[in-house]
Amino acid sequence: MRQCTGLLAAILFASTAFADPLASWSPGNEQGLRQILVPDGQWQRSVVEGREAVTQISGSSYLYFQLDPNLKAKTGETLFIYVEFLDTGYGISEFQYNSTSKPYEPGKQTIFTDSRTWAKDLISVANAKLAGLQNGGADFRIFRSGGLTLGRVEVYTENPGISVPSDVERMKQALSGKHRASRPSDMYYTFGGDPSEADGPLYRLLGATSVESYVTWETCERAGEGQWDWTQWDKQVKILQDNDLKWVPFLIVGPAYSTPNWFRSGKEHVPCRCLEHGTDSKIESLWNPNLPARIDRFLAAFAERYRDKGVIESVLLGIQGDFGEAIYSVTGGGWTFFIPGEYHNHQGFWCGDPYARADFQAYARKKYATLRRLNGVWGTDFQSWDTVSYPIEGERDMKAFRNSLADASPETRRHWLDFVDWYRASMTEFADWWMAATRRHFPDTPIYLCTGGDAPPEHGSNFAEQCRVAAKHDAGVRITNEGSDYTANFAITRWVAAAGRHYGAYFGFEPAGPEDERGVVARIYNATASGANQLHDYAANLVSRAPSIDVQQANLHHLFHVPNPVVPVAFWYPEVHMTLRWGRYFDKARTMRDIADYDYVDESMLRRGALDRYPVLVIAHGSVMETKDAKRIARWVRDGGRLIVMDVGEFRSVEKTRAPERHLFGKSREGRRLGKGSVVRVADWEALGKTLTAEFERLRLPVYPMTKDGVFVTQTDAISHLLLNTTDAEATVAIRAGEREHKVAVPAHGIARTSGTQ
């Protein structure tokens, strides 16, 4: 073990010449200060890095101390606590003490930089009233979630004048050494959670490039119209600048908590109203005609304040819903009620207000031109355009209606599909407007639209279309729905990734909440393998648990931008079918990823040429297909495409005809040659894997095991691969290119990279 010697030892261990401590503690030498042993403050003595110390026992989070009762009379409300600690691992400790108002008053936080040396800190304490009110009669404690080692603690009644480096100085010293390469250089790596003065250096040490803040309209103009107050965000900007971090302001206007109370109580407020109950929310209706001017005004004021300060990495747009995603209200509660109070929220259709109804009528009139044509297609009997209505309202009727759609008449199905198309398109058009407005105020700044969920009809989202309109404004999409399971993450993010790469919109991923250590690795892999250029994580997912930091640091070098991953397989995303009958698709999508890497192609992408990027298309779900889309796929097959179908007995149109089946399979249910290409039905996943292997060999692509084994392969360029192993044992994967074979060892729950098969 290394030992402190010479001048460093003298600095650390000598008594200060400026003042004498009231009390001191070191292992085996208690001078008026005693360490307390309690259930959540277990410790053991040992020699650590060359000196006597005590260390938390696994499972304990605190080290407790009690001042001699005879000395407490000599203390006032101001104290100074000098601490010598072993700087090992990454994280933050917090001093907590008896104050005049709380037994566990939070005090100074201190970062750990993993220097593996003894460090020191001087903690200034205000409003102290040491009265033995903590566990075991302790007066103060030091919190750290694992691995806290102390060598000395001293208590002073006046500032002893001991010189200690600041957290920023210690962070910079650490970065000058082995940690310099830990920050991704070609990927935005964003932490969520406004940093304290201690958090900032730690975030920088852990490789973050930026920090995201929820900058709502309410936080900037809370007191009244025209009374702008930037105090909160000026403070955050300074912390970021002090720590060489950039900013991702999440600019939010629309969710209930994001609008000032004075606005919601005024005449310009138009709330969402649900079709299920006819009840208003406190979320703004996106059809509110007063809202665009307010949004633009907020964007202008924010841009004037911060755009040219050189601190903004990108801006994230929060346009609707409970939390800011480009989806309608799904679920709220907890902190979303803090500012506006409780409000009506649930997954449903939030288009019951008069402005929404008028917009739907305008949509129907534009699409069908005459009432006669509309009534013929929908099977309705509307007598005027202002009586045109949605296909269903009311919670009980809605559920029954949704359950009957699969067997409903063609007219009823078309009325529903048109309604959902309009509902989704309204959100897309609103996002389009938001990004255009933001681009005017931030002409040179990356812009991300925030979206989330898994896109059922009630959410009102079409991720492909959101990527398409983002690309119009040289913008991107951040999807906020990841967790700890790789295949689940892939299944609900790959639509954004595939559409983003097709249309030229950049994109990033964010978790929906907590994640474990395996999730940290899985999310790094998914971002890199998908071609993302931004990965967001909530800081609490990392800094609150040492194991999460360990795996993050061990795998951060795998986080990099892949401009053009090689993905030869498209997987059909049957939006028409899923709009009529939601469910079952994502389970298949997860299994399909275990067979092979792939991109989604949905109807909107098909109609804009996306399928031309892929030599192979797999359809494993969705028997209902528009006839025109079946014709488009058939043309792609004739030009050389390979269509593989599994688990779809027969394709039918929205009108319930066999036309899609005939266009694809002709008279042969099992398959056929069609022009330069072919279509084939396979029985199961094993057969699908074998068929894909043969197609890869035909295309002279590298071949890897296409089986359900929990090991995943992505080809990142012409000769390189990135692999993820989600199993409990090391895996060896053979990647074959022609007659050459390269074997790659992938650690359990880890990532591996290869530069080719040569």
Side-chain angles (χ1 to χ4, degrees), residues 139-162:
D139 298 302
F140 62 83
R141 67 185 185 181
I142 302 175
F143 163 78
R144 190 187 181 198
S145 181
L148 178 60
T149 298
L150 297 182
R152 187 169 181 83
V153 179
E154 296 176 349
V155 179
Y156 294 85
T157 57
E158 59 184 81
N159 192 332
I162 300 173

Side-chain angles (χ1 to χ4, degrees), residues 728-751:
D728 294 332
E730 180 179 282
T732 300
V733 179
I735 301 176
R736 178 166 47 86
E739 296 182 356
R740 295 175 299 174
E741 184 176 88
H742 182 66
K743 292 186 177 180
V744 187
V746 193
H749 301 288
I751 302 172

Side-chain angles (χ1 to χ4, degrees), residues 385-689:
W385 287 108
D386 60 6
T387 63
V388 170
S389 63
Y390 307 132
I392 195 70
E393 298 188 40
E395 185 175 24
R396 181 176 298 178
D397 292 342
M398 181 76 73
K399 290 180 179 178
F401 179 85
R402 295 290 302 278
N403 290 335
S404 68
L405 273 171
D407 301 317
S409 69
E411 293 82 6
T412 298
R413 285 150 64 111
R414 186 58 67 188
H415 192 180
W416 174 256
L417 288 171
D418 281 343
F419 163 65
V420 175
D421 282 350
W422 163 80
Y423 194 60
R424 286 170 166 154
S426 296
M427 184 63 71
T428 300
E429 290 165 7
F430 192 49
D432 191 358
W433 178 89
W434 253 91
M435 287 184 280
T438 307
R439 182 54 73 202
R440 289 196 299 273
H441 296 293
F442 292 90
D444 303 312
T445 304
I447 298 169
Y448 290 83
L449 174 73
C450 182
T451 196
D454 55 356
E458 292 89 340
H459 288 194
S461 52
N462 180 305
F463 298 152
E465 285 293 275
Q466 290 176 351
C467 287
R468 181 182 62 81
V469 297
K472 288 172 50 180
H473 307 290
D474 189 25
V477 171
R478 160 97 71 78
I479 187 161
T480 64
N481 56 8
E482 285 195 298
S484 294
D485 185 286
Y486 168 64
T487 59
N489 291 346
F490 177 95
I492 54 180
T493 61
R494 185 48 70 102
W495 194 11
V496 165
R501 284 188 269 106
H502 174 61
Y503 290 118
Y506 40 86
F507 54 92
F509 301 152
E510 176 181 329
E515 72 202 34
D516 58 24
E517 300 92 271
R518 295 178 182 180
V520 172
V521 179
R523 296 193 61 244
I524 288 173
Y525 180 84
N526 193 36
T528 300
S530 298
N533 76 334
Q534 182 195 68
L535 181 65
H536 170 284
D537 206 347
Y538 291 103
N541 285 340
L542 298 174
V543 302
S544 61
R545 297 187 71 251
S548 293
I549 293 179
D550 291 342
V551 298
Q552 184 254 17
Q553 288 293 293
N555 288 277
L556 195 57
H557 65 288
H558 293 304
L559 182 62
F560 57 94
H561 179 57
V562 177
N564 297 296
V566 180
V567 186
V569 179
F571 192 58
W572 181 242
Y573 185 93
E575 184 150 25
V576 168
H577 179 99
M578 293 169 67
T579 300
L580 295 172
R581 178 181 288 180
W582 184 260
R584 297 183 60 232
Y585 176 75
F586 290 113
D587 288 340
K588 293 183 177 181
R590 294 175 65 175
T591 302
M592 176 64 191
R593 179 59 187 96
D594 213 355
I595 303 298
D597 195 11
Y598 65 82
D599 280 341
Y600 286 135
V601 171
D602 77 315
E603 289 91 339
S604 67
M605 295 171 66
L606 173 71
R607 295 163 197 169
R608 291 181 171 85
L611 191 55
D612 295 340
R613 299 164 58 94
Y614 307 93
V616 179
L617 172 65
V618 175
I619 301 180
H621 187 75
S623 59
V624 181
M625 179 183 293
E626 299 281 11
T627 300
K628 291 182 179 179
D629 292 330
K631 290 181 179 179
R632 291 183 177 95
I633 294 172
R635 285 197 295 270
W636 168 82
V637 173
R638 288 191 184 95
D639 290 338
R642 299 297 199 273
L643 171 62
I644 307 169
V645 177
M646 185 191 80
D647 275 1
V648 180
E650 185 176 80
F651 292 101
R652 294 274 182 161
S653 69
V654 175
E655 294 74 27
K656 299 187 176 182
T657 72
R658 295 187 67 254
E661 178 76 12
R662 289 197 301 271
H663 285 296
L664 296 175
F665 281 86
K667 297 180 180 179
S668 172
R669 183 187 179 285
E670 301 305 317
R672 61 171 175 162
R673 295 288 305 176
L674 185 59
K676 298 178 182 178
S678 64
V679 297
V680 63
R681 274 192 169 91
V682 298
D684 52 30
W685 293 110
E686 182 179 1
L688 176 61

Side-chain angles (χ1 to χ4, degrees), residues 97-283:
Y97 63 99
N98 290 177
S99 73
T100 55
S101 59
K102 298 177 184 178
Y104 297 97
E105 182 77 44
K108 183 183 179 184
Q109 295 178 321
T110 303
I111 70 163
F112 286 71
T113 70
D114 198 33
S115 67
R116 307 292 176 90
T117 61
W118 285 95
K120 57 184 179 176
D121 198 10
L122 184 63
I123 302 166
S124 176
V125 180
N127 301 317
K129 188 176 182 180
L130 305 186
L133 299 178
Q134 296 186 354
N135 292 342
D139 298 302
F140 62 83
R141 67 185 185 181
I142 302 175
F143 163 78
R144 190 187 181 198
S145 181
L148 178 60
T149 298
L150 297 182
R152 187 169 181 83
V153 179
E154 296 176 349
V155 179
Y156 294 85
T157 57
E158 59 184 81
N159 192 332
I162 300 173
S163 176
V164 299
S166 69
D167 284 344
V168 172
E169 290 170 335
R170 293 176 54 235
M171 174 267 290
K172 291 180 178 179
Q173 182 179 7
L175 286 174
S176 67
K178 64 179 181 179
H179 304 287
R180 179 172 294 278
S182 66
R183 192 179 204 177
S185 60
D186 56 355
M187 173 81 80
Y188 297 137
Y189 187 36
T190 302
F191 281 10
D194 295 331
S196 66
E197 292 183 355
D199 293 329
L202 179 62
Y203 293 1
R204 177 64 183 87
L205 272 176
L206 294 179
T209 63
S210 55
V211 172
E212 177 190 315
S213 300
Y214 277 48
V215 183
T216 66
W217 175 18
E218 192 275 342
T219 64
C220 304
E221 201 178 12
R222 180 178 299 152
E225 185 168 7
Q227 298 183 51
W228 296 99
D229 182 0
W230 306 103
T231 304
Q232 177 180 352
W233 305 120
D234 286 349
K235 179 180 178 181
Q236 284 300 305
V237 165
K238 184 179 186 308
I239 291 174
L240 297 178
Q241 291 174 325
D242 287 346
N243 290 283
D244 187 28
L245 290 165
K246 296 295 185 180
W247 196 22
V248 180
F250 188 11
L251 304 181
I252 311 174
V253 181
Y257 66 88
S258 71
T259 50
N261 289 330
W262 60 262
F263 175 80
R264 270 184 285 98
S265 64
K267 295 181 179 180
E268 293 185 21
H269 169 55
V270 178
C272 294
R273 181 177 299 162
C274 72
L275 295 186
E276 289 78 10
H277 313 99
T279 302
D280 286 348
S281 172
K282 292 183 180 180
I283 299 168

